[in-house]
Amino acid sequence: NIDLAIRITEKPNSALNSTRIGTVKHNLFTSGEYLSNQPPLKGLCDLHHHQLLNFGSTKRAFWDFVSPKGKRNRFEFKPHLNSNNGLFLLNAVRAGMGIARLPDFIVMAAEQSGEIVRVLPDMYIAHWGIFLVHAEDRRMNRRMRLFADEMRKACVFEKYG
């Protein structure tokens, strides 16, 4: 009887007990082919001239950034493509369909091999947490704590961007 879920989010649901087991870094990625056929991309405002691929299912989306000087910027856009599957978005980026905000654990190998490239690297995207969550009225028993420890170990990635 183990009632746990793993959530990757900026802030966990306050109605649930949560234990942070890791951190996820997000960046913007596209293919070199896509960049060579599109207008230059030098700042956030240039993103309006590009096909943006979004994780989610909204008609209007936003990405939050922090500039090198610490200024918070919310970029709102109408997604060219939505998906609730990070691997699907990675493959869309590989295929030259646009620019996507993707987490490090999905893009690590593709970026290191040169299949995809990071864009606007100076724009910082706040790290999200990987949380083990459970109902407020449940205490973590021994099996749950052991599982949490193993998940914490599994969520440690080599130092990456």
Side-chain angles (χ1 to χ4, degrees):
N1 233 358
I2 300 177
D3 296 321
L4 297 170
I6 297 172
R7 297 275 311 173
I8 298 174
T9 183
E10 199 168 2
K11 296 178 191 171
N13 183 332
S14 60
L16 300 172
N17 285 332
S18 62
T19 303
R20 189 181 193 112
I21 59 173
T23 300
V24 175
K25 298 176 186 174
H26 287 86
N27 287 287
L28 297 181
F29 293 93
T30 192
S31 68
E33 177 187 351
Y34 175 85
L35 277 182
S36 68
N37 296 316
Q38 298 297 321
L41 185 56
K42 296 180 182 174
L44 284 183
C45 60
D46 296 328
L47 287 172
H48 284 295
H49 308 292
H50 289 269
Q51 296 177 6
L52 303 179
L53 316 178
N54 185 54
F55 187 90
S57 59
T58 60
K59 291 183 181 182
R60 297 288 303 164
F62 64 88
W63 292 335
D64 288 324
F65 297 91
V66 179
S67 75
K69 295 181 180 180
K71 183 181 177 194
R72 293 183 86 51
N73 296 292
R74 174 164 278 188
F75 180 79
E76 294 190 41
F77 62 97
K78 181 179 179 185
H80 176 72
L81 173 74
N82 277 314
S83 176
N84 285 321
N85 185 308
L87 290 175
F88 177 85
L89 289 173
L90 173 60
N91 287 329
V93 164
R94 283 178 170 142
M97 294 181 67
I99 298 169
R101 183 181 93 176
L102 294 167
D104 54 0
F105 66 89
I106 288 181
V107 299
M108 203 176 299
E111 184 182 24
Q112 289 173 348
S113 72
E115 289 179 84
I116 63 172
V117 294
R118 195 177 298 201
V119 295
L120 300 178
D122 292 337
M123 295 306 294
Y124 172 79
I125 300 172
H127 299 331
W128 286 18
I130 304 172
F131 296 92
L132 197 59
V133 296
H134 57 94
E136 191 173 343
D137 61 345
R138 296 274 322 242
R139 293 190 133 203
M140 285 190 47
N141 62 34
R142 183 176 181 275
R143 287 185 298 170
M144 294 166 79
R145 286 191 305 276
L146 288 171
F147 180 75
D149 288 343
E150 290 301 314
M151 290 304 301
R152 196 174 286 112
K153 291 174 192 171
C155 290
V156 174
F157 303 108
E158 290 180 26
K159 186 171 178 162
Y160 175 76

